[in-house]
Amino acid sequence: MRQPPALLAEDAVATALETLDGWSIAEGKLTKTYVFRDFVQAFGFMTAAALCAERANHHPEWSNAYKTVDISLTTHESGGITQKDLDLATEFEQVAGGTAHE
């Protein structure tokens, strides 16, 4: 049986957050709100991000309201934040590619 990913120590998460612009911890989850130019740009981001999540077999909790996308990442099987969450957040940043603003 496969072991769940290891939880990251708080200091490791804090260090990683220094390189993840706009990401923070809320309720034990890695979170960010992206604001795009319009709904089409927000939905385009979500489409590309969904493909990243599917490839990683690691899926976000997220919502979309017009041009705003709220994302929360946590590794449920581990009970908190793991490297999988940081990796996916990094991919989402690459997908957003400067098209979002806060």
Side-chain angles (χ1 to χ4, degrees):
M1 188 165 129
R2 188 179 69 83
Q3 292 283 58
L7 288 176
L8 294 175
E10 284 184 33
D11 60 332
V13 174
T15 298
L17 285 175
E18 294 173 11
T19 64
L20 289 170
D21 187 41
W23 287 85
S24 62
I25 303 299
E27 298 179 13
K29 299 175 183 179
L30 192 58
T31 65
K32 181 168 182 172
T33 297
Y34 288 96
V35 180
F36 295 91
R37 181 182 61 245
D38 55 27
F39 175 76
V40 171
Q41 194 176 55
F43 197 83
F45 164 78
M46 289 182 75
T47 301
L51 295 174
C52 293
E54 188 63 21
R55 276 192 304 274
N57 192 30
H58 190 55
H59 304 92
E61 297 172 16
W62 61 6
S63 64
N64 165 244
Y66 182 52
K67 63 182 184 174
T68 302
V69 179
D70 293 307
I71 299 176
S72 293
L73 296 170
T74 188
T75 305
H76 296 284
E77 64 185 327
S78 300
I81 298 171
T82 69
Q83 189 62 47
K84 289 178 75 166
D85 302 302
L86 297 176
D87 292 346
L88 197 54
T90 299
E91 283 196 68
F92 288 171
E93 286 298 294
Q94 293 168 351
V95 168
T99 60
H101 53 279
E102 295 178 46

